Structures are given as structure tokens and as C-alpha cells.
Amino acid sequence: MQIIHSSLPLLSIIIPIHNGKNEIERCLNSIYSQNIEQDLFEVICVDDASTDETCKILSQWAEKRKNLKVLRHETNKRQGGARNSGMDISRGKYISFIDHDDIYIPEGLKNIINSLSQYEKQNYGHLLDILMFDYIKSDDPHKQLNYSHNSTEIMPGYLFLSQQECSWYVWQYIYRKGYLHHTQRRFRENVLFEDSDFILGALAHAHRVKYFKEKLICYSVPGTRTGQTTTSDMQKLIGQRFLSTMAIKNEAEKFLPSASILYGKHHKSNPPESTIAEAVGGRNGDKLHINHL
């Protein structure tokens, strides 16, 4: 397939990193080993105040790759802050996030870029706000899709939330940068679990969302990663989970009026209460179940 080039990259890949010396090169290799022309994408690595050799490794990579940028935080802002910093300097039309200990599946990134280019060529003037794709888990020997039962129809975000099985993983979506900028969508900083309310808010206000039945990322399942979680860490996690739940609730309350507006545009009436009720919810594992808040 022939891809039309422009002066700006089609995709910005943003990688937040903290003390990732043992994993980051594997992640970067999974990007640059794919058969993609480098002017089609850029890689933005945000070193979030690492205390190991992460910064040195990233500098060595930046010397060899013209489309790789490195930012460094002097103070740790966690993944939300690192992602915000990456978005601030991104030049791509679309944004993809990946954690430094995960990898892109061989040919996965190439397939997504081809799908994006093909869609834009066939649907000029009707750009997608958000794309959801699938992934595999590092401990799954069968490498099965996790969301293959989802519809591939394009739909408004509020319908996507109520009719599809959605993911809490921010890296399972690709976002149009213009849409994020227009809606002023940002991550909460200096917190854990910053992705849940970001995803809910981003999907809720989107006009065009589509699920692509393509595998893109291999997720490093907790327990296969380096490091251990202490009792003190668990206590902090419980507190942060509560804050995350409150942030999700706040996003849901902001979403309800826009759900009525969007539904009215498509159906010339307000959505039934059951539709709105389904559009706010809780969490079960890695998937959004929009019906319990």
C-alpha cells in the first residue's frame, strides 16, 4: 500500500519511563525493527527523573535515530505528567502511548499505520477521534485477542462506551491530537491510576470512535515485570485507587450532558435513561464495564 507523506509525522509514540534501564531497549527495538519509514512516526521518550542509567541509554539511542526525542523531568511526575510532557511537544497527527516495559507486536505498528492511512484516504473530512485496537498478554501462550467480539462500526463515544467492551489501558487507544487539544484532555499528574478517568473523558466526548481488530501491543503482565510490591506500596495503591474512582465519577458527571447533546444530534431526541445509566461505571480487571457507578 502506498502512503502519502506530509511534512509532519502521522503518529507520535510517547513512552513515559522511570528507572527503565532493563526494559526500555526492548521496547525501542520493537518499534525500530518494524518495516516503517521513519518520517511516518516520531518517538518521544520522557525520562521521569530516573535514578538509574535510563538517561544514558536514551541519549545513545537519540544519537542514532533522527526521529527520537528525549525529555527529562528533574522531579518525578509519574506517568500522567510524563505523558502530558510528551503530548506538549508531539508533532504527529495521532498519538500512541506505550509503557517502557511493553512492546509493539511485530508488524503491529506497521499494520496500524497502514489502517490509519487507508481510512483517511477513503474517508477524507471524517477523521476518527479515537481508535481502539487489541493486544496480547505476555503470559498468554495462545496470543488471543481480548476484544474480538466488539463491533468495528464507527460510532459516537457515548455509544461506544455503552455498547462496546472498552479497556482501561490508555495504550490500547490511538488518539487524534487535534481532538485531545480541542477538548483540553490532560492526565492527572503525580498520581497512580491516572488513565481511567482520562479514557472515560476522552471517549465520552468523541464524535467518531472505531475498534480495529488488530493486535498492536504485547502487555507485560504484572508478575513478569521487574520489582516487587511492598505492604507500604499496597497501602498507597488503595488510597490512589479511591482517588481514581472519584476522578472517574467526576468525569461521568461531566459526560452526562454531552451524552444528551450527542444523542440528540443523531436521534433527534434525548437518550433514554438506560443509555445514560450504562455510560457511567466501574472496573473489572482491565476492562470497562459501564454500568455500576
Side-chain angles (χ1 to χ4, degrees), residues 114-130:
N114 285 343
S115 295
L116 265 176
S117 300
Q118 185 176 18
Y119 175 85
E120 290 204 347
K121 185 177 180 180
Q122 296 174 350
N123 299 273
Y124 181 77
H126 299 281
L127 300 179
L128 294 172
D129 294 324
I130 299 176

Side-chain angles (χ1 to χ4, degrees), residues 217-231:
I217 284 176
C218 179
Y219 167 57
S220 179
V221 176
T224 65
R225 296 173 173 173
T226 57
Q228 296 180 339
T229 301
T230 64
T231 301

Side-chain angles (χ1 to χ4, degrees), residues 132 147 160-161 164-168 173 203 286-288:
M132 178 183 170
Y147 296 82
F160 196 91
L161 281 166
Q164 304 274 62
E165 190 166 31
C166 304
S167 169
W168 286 91
Y173 302 88
L203 286 172
D286 58 350
K287 299 181 180 180
L288 279 166

Side-chain angles (χ1 to χ4, degrees), residues 219-251:
Y219 167 57
S220 179
V221 176
T224 65
R225 296 173 173 173
T226 57
Q228 296 180 339
T229 301
T230 64
T231 301
S232 176
D233 290 334
M234 287 304 299
Q235 292 173 342
K236 293 177 182 177
L237 289 175
I238 293 170
Q240 291 288 337
R241 172 58 68 199
F242 173 77
L243 293 177
S244 174
T245 301
M246 296 306 296
I248 293 171
K249 179 177 180 293
N250 291 337
E251 282 296 337

Side-chain angles (χ1 to χ4, degrees), residues 165-209:
E165 190 166 31
C166 304
S167 169
W168 286 91
Y169 295 138
V170 71
W171 44 256
Q172 203 174 332
Y173 302 88
I174 288 178
Y175 311 82
R176 184 166 60 84
K177 182 180 178 180
Y179 166 68
L180 294 180
H181 178 75
H182 177 71
T183 56
Q184 299 181 327
R185 183 60 43 191
R186 306 280 287 180
F187 289 94
R188 289 179 298 126
E189 300 188 1
N190 301 304
V191 298
L192 296 174
F193 309 117
E194 75 294 326
D195 47 359
S196 305
D197 51 297
F198 178 92
I199 293 168
L200 179 59
L203 286 172
H205 299 284
H207 288 265
R208 299 176 66 81
V209 183

Side-chain angles (χ1 to χ4, degrees), residues 10-273:
L10 181 66
L11 185 66
S12 294
I13 301 169
I14 298 174
I15 312 175
I17 311 158
H18 178 71
N19 290 345
K21 69 173 184 177
N22 295 325
E23 302 93 3
I24 184 57
E25 290 194 274
R26 179 170 173 260
C27 179
L28 291 173
N29 277 320
S30 76
I31 297 172
Y32 286 102
S33 63
Q34 306 206 17
N35 185 24
I36 310 172
E37 295 181 41
Q38 291 193 30
D39 58 349
L40 287 174
F41 69 98
E42 65 176 357
V43 178
I44 301 173
C45 295
V46 184
D47 178 9
D48 195 28
S50 295
T51 56
D52 63 2
E53 296 178 0
T54 294
C55 186
K56 179 181 178 181
I57 293 171
L58 293 177
S59 296
Q60 292 171 347
W61 273 81
E63 291 176 1
K64 301 174 184 177
R65 302 291 180 176
K66 64 179 182 180
N67 64 341
L68 191 153
K69 303 176 185 176
V70 178
L71 290 179
R72 176 168 171 79
H73 287 168
E74 295 300 324
T75 57
N76 184 270
K77 298 182 180 181
R78 294 192 176 271
Q79 285 189 316
R83 289 175 181 143
N84 286 340
S85 295
M87 286 194 293
D88 287 340
I89 68 164
S90 64
R91 299 166 58 245
K93 193 170 187 177
Y94 295 90
I95 291 176
S96 174
F97 300 103
I98 186 170
D99 293 344
H100 75 264
D101 53 356
D102 295 334
I103 61 172
Y104 285 103
I105 295 168
E107 299 295 307
L109 194 56
K110 178 182 178 181
N111 291 339
I112 289 294
I113 287 178
N114 285 343
S115 295
L116 265 176
S117 300
Q118 185 176 18
Y119 175 85
E120 290 204 347
K121 185 177 180 180
Q122 296 174 350
N123 299 273
Y124 181 77
H126 299 281
L127 300 179
L128 294 172
D129 294 324
I130 299 176
L131 301 76
M132 178 183 170
F133 52 85
D134 225 307
Y135 73 101
I136 59 175
K137 297 179 179 179
S138 60
D139 64 347
D140 178 11
H142 304 294
K143 310 303 181 189
Q144 294 179 341
L145 293 171
N146 292 275
Y147 296 82
S148 58
H149 52 277
N150 271 0
S151 168
T152 58
E153 294 291 320
I154 298 171
M155 59 186 73
Y158 81 92
L159 282 182
F160 196 91
L161 281 166
S162 62
Q163 295 181 6
Q164 304 274 62
E165 190 166 31
C166 304
S167 169
W168 286 91
Y169 295 138
V170 71
W171 44 256
Q172 203 174 332
Y173 302 88
I174 288 178
Y175 311 82
R176 184 166 60 84
K177 182 180 178 180
Y179 166 68
L180 294 180
H181 178 75
H182 177 71
T183 56
Q184 299 181 327
R185 183 60 43 191
R186 306 280 287 180
F187 289 94
R188 289 179 298 126
E189 300 188 1
N190 301 304
V191 298
L192 296 174
F193 309 117
E194 75 294 326
D195 47 359
S196 305
D197 51 297
F198 178 92
I199 293 168
L200 179 59
L203 286 172
H205 299 284
H207 288 265
R208 299 176 66 81
V209 183
K210 178 176 172 63
Y211 166 71
F212 282 82
K213 212 168 274 192
E214 296 270 3
K215 292 179 286 187
L216 181 61
I217 284 176
C218 179
Y219 167 57
S220 179
V221 176
T224 65
R225 296 173 173 173
T226 57
Q228 296 180 339
T229 301
T230 64
T231 301
S232 176
D233 290 334
M234 287 304 299
Q235 292 173 342
K236 293 177 182 177
L237 289 175
I238 293 170
Q240 291 288 337
R241 172 58 68 199
F242 173 77
L243 293 177
S244 174
T245 301
M246 296 306 296
I248 293 171
K249 179 177 180 293
N250 291 337
E251 282 296 337
E253 290 172 347
K254 287 189 284 186
F255 159 57
L256 292 178
S258 60
S260 298
I261 293 170
L262 281 175
Y263 190 94
K265 284 183 178 179
H266 288 269
H267 299 275
K268 302 187 184 307
S269 63
N270 287 329
E273 290 184 4

